[in-house]
Amino acid sequence: MTDDALARSLLTDDRVSKDAYLHWPAWENGEGELARSWPLASWVAERSMINAYGGDHRRLRKLVAKAFTARRTAALRPTVQTLVADLLDDIAATTPGHPVDIRGDFAYPLAIRVICELLGIPHDMRADLFRVVADMFRTSATLEEVQATGEELHGLMTALIAHKRRTPGDDLVSALIAARDDEESAGLDEVELVDMVLLMIGAGHETTVNLLDQAIHSLLTHPEQLRLIENGDASWDDAIDEALRHEAPIANLPMRFAVEDIEAGQVTIAKGDALIISYSAIGRDPAVHGADADAFDISRPTRQDHISFGYGVHRCVGAPLARLEASLALPMLFARFPGISLAVTTDRLQPLESFVSNGHRTLPVLLKQA
């Protein structure tokens, strides 16, 4: 789905599901050939709220929604501010004239540290856990690589949950475990618990990293847009929305399924058919954003008219947190290093090996401090 209006319609249609077990006959309840041999099987096999339908989705989303309320997100502002300042101090120590990977050394550790604080992930588990989670987004991986990643990830998640059961804290993982272990609650089963924690880890940082990556790249390659902010003619929120529209952090999200036949314009989506929503294409729909939809323009009247955080009941629950991180990280970065510039030309930048995650492998820049 690449059409904005059609996507919005389908994303709010009860006849469209994300549950492969209920509504994708080809999945064969996870017991057929696809589950055994398809490298992307994990994207539909996961039993978390991202793939749930109807009442199951409402039940699972309710368990995590309170961790991402406006009040709780606002309470994280001082923590995020301190983390940004610390990371800027770290990269400021780089030898003058040497490139800094602003994605790997700034955007990535910021998003990681914030989500780890929220989830309560111990320091000694973070490096291995996020290395393996990153492999999940590499959709070019072979079946053997995917299987090896899955096995390692299962071991890491088992260890994490066992640790949090022994030493619970005031964090989201402990809260999910409590819901699972409360026999009187309509909480999680063990598979849902593991998959929900995994979802929070993966989605909780990847979107933010790509948002920062793409926003920084776009502003560095469009200095006239950065000047609009510096002159007070546009805001950082304008830049964030335009970055989300122009380069959606999640390019394509597999998958959804037709619960019954759906008439979509001149096309019939047959019951059981699989759909992919292409957020990167939707953000550049000329029917919404005009003939120049491919241009990065933070003063664009339709800059807020995007669905890059999703739409409908599956809209990203962590969107306010991602916006908070970007709203602090971007102005602090450009204020600290007003002469920041790309260290290589854009044509030398390599994209992530993923049709899901939309970012650069590295984003090397040269710094110039105020």
Side-chain angles (χ1 to χ4, degrees):
M1 301 296 125
T2 61
D3 177 276
D4 182 284
L6 177 58
R8 290 174 190 259
S9 173
L10 291 172
L11 289 171
T12 52
D13 193 326
D14 288 341
R15 298 173 298 169
V16 176
S17 168
K18 294 201 73 179
D19 193 329
Y21 294 88
L22 289 178
H23 301 120
W24 195 26
W27 182 238
E28 299 178 276
N29 202 39
E31 299 171 354
E33 181 63 23
L34 278 177
R36 291 191 298 270
S37 64
W38 186 37
L40 298 183
S42 62
W43 286 92
V44 301
E46 189 175 295
R47 304 308 297 261
S48 69
M49 69 180 181
I50 196 172
N51 287 337
Y53 176 74
D56 277 340
H57 175 261
R58 289 189 292 273
R59 171 178 62 87
L60 294 170
R61 189 177 177 99
K62 184 178 179 180
L63 290 169
V64 300
K66 61 185 178 183
F68 294 95
T69 61
R71 180 185 61 79
R72 190 140 189 189
T73 299
L76 286 169
R77 175 177 286 270
T79 299
V80 176
Q81 215 156 9
T82 299
L83 289 173
V84 171
D86 289 346
L87 287 167
L88 293 177
D89 286 343
D90 290 344
I91 63 175
T94 304
T95 303
H98 283 237
V100 170
D101 177 10
I102 206 69
R103 177 187 174 94
D105 296 335
F106 178 65
Y108 182 79
L110 173 61
I112 290 292
R113 293 179 192 180
V114 171
I115 200 64
C116 283
E117 290 294 323
L118 188 66
L119 296 177
I121 298 175
H123 286 272
D124 61 351
M125 293 186 177
R126 295 180 184 183
D128 284 341
L129 191 56
F130 283 94
R131 171 181 55 79
V132 178
V133 168
D135 283 342
M136 291 175 53
F137 286 91
R138 188 165 62 90
T139 54
S140 62
T142 65
L143 177 61
E144 291 74 20
E145 290 172 330
V146 169
Q147 290 172 337
T149 295
E151 290 177 8
E152 185 176 5
L153 187 58
H154 177 76
L156 291 169
M157 293 300 296
T158 299
L160 171 63
I161 290 172
H163 172 80
K164 298 304 292 185
R165 275 198 169 105
R166 292 192 304 269
T167 57
D170 182 19
D171 56 68
L172 183 52
V173 173
S174 296
L176 290 173
I177 291 171
R180 162 71 185 105
D181 294 347
D182 180 1
E183 295 181 357
E184 296 182 1
S185 76
L188 307 157
D189 63 35
E190 197 71 13
V191 172
E192 289 173 331
L193 171 62
V194 170
D195 286 353
M196 284 286 280
V197 174
L198 181 58
L199 170 63
M200 294 295 102
I201 292 171
H205 83 281
E206 191 73 12
T207 300
T208 303
V209 176
N210 289 338
L211 168 56
L212 290 172
D213 173 347
Q214 297 289 7
I216 293 167
H217 174 261
S218 294
L219 290 168
L220 292 181
T221 53
H222 298 81
E224 77 287 353
Q225 300 295 310
L226 184 57
R227 283 195 292 273
L228 290 176
I229 300 173
E230 294 169 343
N231 295 337
D233 296 320
S235 69
W236 286 106
D237 284 339
D238 296 332
I240 291 168
D241 269 312
E242 180 65 354
L244 286 165
R245 180 204 71 84
H246 187 250
E247 292 285 0
I250 300 300
N252 308 283
L253 191 60
M255 286 179 7
R256 285 174 164 81
F257 314 98
V259 176
E260 59 186 71
D261 288 356
I262 301 172
E263 298 299 324
Q266 299 182 12
V267 176
T268 298
I269 304 172
K271 178 181 178 179
D273 273 359
L275 320 173
I276 291 180
I277 305 296
S278 180
Y279 293 104
S280 56
I282 291 164
R284 299 194 184 193
D285 186 347
V288 177
H289 304 289
D292 67 341
D294 285 339
F296 179 75
D297 178 5
I298 66 175
S299 62
R300 178 185 304 278
T302 58
R303 61 188 175 274
Q304 295 181 327
D305 197 7
H306 62 80
I307 58 171
S308 295
F309 281 124
Y311 192 71
V313 296
H314 281 280
R315 187 177 189 276
C316 177
V317 71
L321 180 57
R323 283 185 177 276
L324 172 66
E325 292 177 61
S327 70
L328 293 172
L330 292 173
M332 290 175 70
L333 171 68
F334 282 92
R336 181 73 177 269
F337 306 108
I340 186 174
S341 62
L342 283 179
V344 298
T345 54
T346 291
D347 62 334
R348 292 181 58 191
L349 296 174
Q350 296 295 313
L352 295 173
E353 294 178 299
S354 175
F355 75 87
V356 174
S357 185
N358 180 27
H360 302 96
R361 295 190 199 176
T362 63
L363 188 61
V365 300
L366 296 172
L367 304 176
K368 183 178 179 182
Q369 300 191 45

